[in-house]
């Protein structure tokens, strides 16, 4: 699998991110069926490679305790983690010692490389709050074209390598009904794990439609196969988080728009061009 990551490093650098394209909603996720979200398990594979995206000024506010809680910023008082800080704005995964993969729309204005910091160990088990932080050094490539190409990803070079175990990837297409899970920062809170399954394949552009319980802030979350813990792709967009009365939106597993996952195989193919 290391060879696959090495192929990505052959991409040429873009001078700047492409303009935001498409109709992605900022508040775009929901609970499907039974609630599946839990704090990041202590023994979760590849937890050291998980990344949280922060605006530089927000990270400073978190360190001084001057930050809004989830319920103060979004509502959702019924969530078990509503009183946690809401600080990060997107999620990601380390795919090479100095390379982070996230959703392309996470680099839309005002989130430029210059005001972005990438944080490791942003989880509730890290009581010391001693995060490992890297600056964004360069945007290697970013593409946001969900409706057309079925792509929404960004590759970011970080200021200094991080030496951790990185995920192996799945190289075959998934089937309807396969179990998957996502690892990310719902509503900017600590890293959490949510579970679901592939409920359909969007054959026009090759995206997986899933029933993952995810929220705003989960954009760019790595999605893994539940069997073998291999990287499937990254979370892009989906249903709105909240209902009209302000509560967290609940859908049946076959209802609402589903949560869209960009397959790793599509990202790899595009990054080679």
């Amino acid at each position: 699998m290391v060879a696959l990551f090495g192929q990505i490093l052959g991409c040429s650098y873009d001078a700047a991110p492409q303009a935001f394209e498409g109709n992605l909603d900022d508040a775009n996720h929901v609970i499907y069926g039974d609630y599946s979200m839990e704090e990041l398990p202590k023994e979760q594979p590849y937890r050291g490679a998980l990344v949280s995206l922060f605006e530089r000024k927000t990270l400073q506010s978190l360190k001084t305790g001057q930050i809004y809680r989830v319920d103060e910023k979004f509502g959702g008082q019924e969530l078990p983690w509503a009183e946690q800080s809401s600080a990060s704005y997107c999620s990601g995964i380390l795919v090479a010692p100095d390379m982070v993969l996230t959703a392309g729309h996470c680099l839309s204005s005002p989130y430029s490389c210059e005001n972005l910091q990438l944080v490791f160990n942003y989880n509730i088990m890290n009581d010391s709050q001693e995060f490992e932080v890297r600056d964004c050094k360069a945007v290697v490539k970013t593409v946001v074209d969900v409706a057309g190409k079925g792509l929404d990803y960004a590759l970011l070079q970080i200021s200094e390598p991080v030496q951790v175990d990185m995920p192996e990837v799945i190289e075959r297409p998934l089937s309807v009904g396969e179990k998957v899970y996502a690892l990310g920062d719902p509503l900017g809170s600590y890293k959490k794990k949510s579970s679901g399954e592939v409920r359909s394949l969007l054959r026009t552009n090759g995206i997986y439609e899933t029933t993952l319980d995810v929220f705003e802030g989960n954009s760019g979350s790595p999605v893994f196969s539940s069997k073998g813990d291999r990287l499937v792709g990254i979370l892009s967009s989906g249903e709105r988080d909240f209902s009209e009365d302000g509560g967290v939106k609940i859908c049946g597993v076959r209802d609402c728009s589903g949560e869209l996952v960009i397959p790793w195989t599509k990202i790899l193919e595009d990054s080679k061009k």
Side-chain angles (χ1 to χ4, degrees):
M1 302 308 166
V2 174
L4 286 177
F5 295 132
Q7 291 175 33
I8 268 191
L9 299 182
C11 300
S12 60
Y13 284 7
D14 289 344
Q18 298 173 7
F20 179 80
E21 302 171 3
N23 296 309
L24 297 178
D25 195 315
D26 286 338
N28 56 5
H29 305 295
V30 70
I31 301 299
Y32 291 87
D34 295 332
Y35 178 80
S36 72
M37 191 166 282
E38 60 179 317
E39 296 295 338
L40 185 69
K42 188 175 182 180
E43 302 304 322
Q44 180 65 49
Y46 309 121
R47 64 181 286 146
L50 301 176
V51 180
S52 302
L53 278 64
F54 280 76
E55 281 191 277
R56 191 177 296 272
K57 63 181 180 181
T58 305
L59 183 57
Q60 292 304 314
S61 297
L62 178 66
K63 291 177 177 179
T64 60
Q66 299 175 318
I67 200 78
Y68 286 111
R69 300 189 316 235
V70 167
D71 56 355
E72 293 172 327
K73 190 172 179 180
F74 294 98
Q77 285 81 0
E78 66 270 43
L79 293 168
W81 34 274
E83 294 186 0
Q84 291 183 10
S85 297
S86 175
S88 69
Y89 76 91
C90 270
S91 309
I93 182 78
L94 197 72
V95 293
D98 67 343
M99 197 72 61
V100 167
L101 174 66
T102 186
H105 71 268
C106 292
L107 271 291
S108 60
S109 179
Y111 304 114
S112 65
C113 190
E114 291 74 18
N115 69 5
L116 172 61
Q117 290 188 298
L118 300 107
V119 176
F120 297 80
N121 302 320
Y122 183 55
N123 60 74
I124 201 167
M125 300 295 184
N126 183 13
D127 295 331
S128 67
Q129 300 290 290
E130 292 296 328
F131 306 123
E132 191 164 2
V133 181
R134 297 291 188 270
D135 291 329
C136 176
K137 183 177 180 179
V139 178
V140 177
K141 188 167 186 178
T142 180
V143 180
V144 185
D145 185 4
V146 177
K149 296 179 180 178
L151 290 170
D152 177 16
Y153 77 95
L155 287 164
L156 309 177
Q157 186 185 31
I158 57 178
S159 55
E160 183 182 347
V162 177
Q163 302 300 331
V164 295
D165 289 336
M166 288 173 290
E168 294 187 355
V169 299
I170 199 162
E171 300 178 54
R172 60 169 179 82
L174 298 190
S175 301
V176 171
E178 284 200 52
K179 304 295 185 182
V180 293
Y181 64 88
L183 304 174
D185 306 339
L187 302 179
S189 66
Y190 290 123
K191 280 277 184 283
K192 293 176 177 56
K193 179 179 182 177
S194 61
S195 302
E197 66 177 42
V198 177
R199 77 176 192 183
S200 69
L201 308 176
L202 304 185
R203 299 186 186 281
T204 55
N205 54 21
I207 295 177
Y208 300 129
E209 183 183 287
T210 73
T211 59
L212 290 164
D213 293 340
V214 285
F215 291 81
E216 178 180 352
N218 276 109
S219 293
S221 293
V223 177
F224 294 84
S225 171
S226 296
K227 184 178 181 179
D229 299 304
R230 292 187 176 228
L231 181 65
V232 168
I234 56 170
L235 190 77
S236 170
S237 54
E239 185 63 55
R240 291 186 62 86
D241 290 351
F242 298 104
S243 58
E244 293 182 1
D245 63 6
V248 174
K249 193 167 187 178
I250 308 294
C251 294
V253 293
R254 299 299 170 194
D255 299 328
C256 301
S257 64
E259 310 307 313
L260 304 183
V261 174
I262 310 299
W264 163 258
T265 49
K266 286 180 63 68
I267 294 170
L268 180 62
E269 180 182 0
D270 186 75
S271 67
K272 291 178 181 177
K273 295 178 181 177

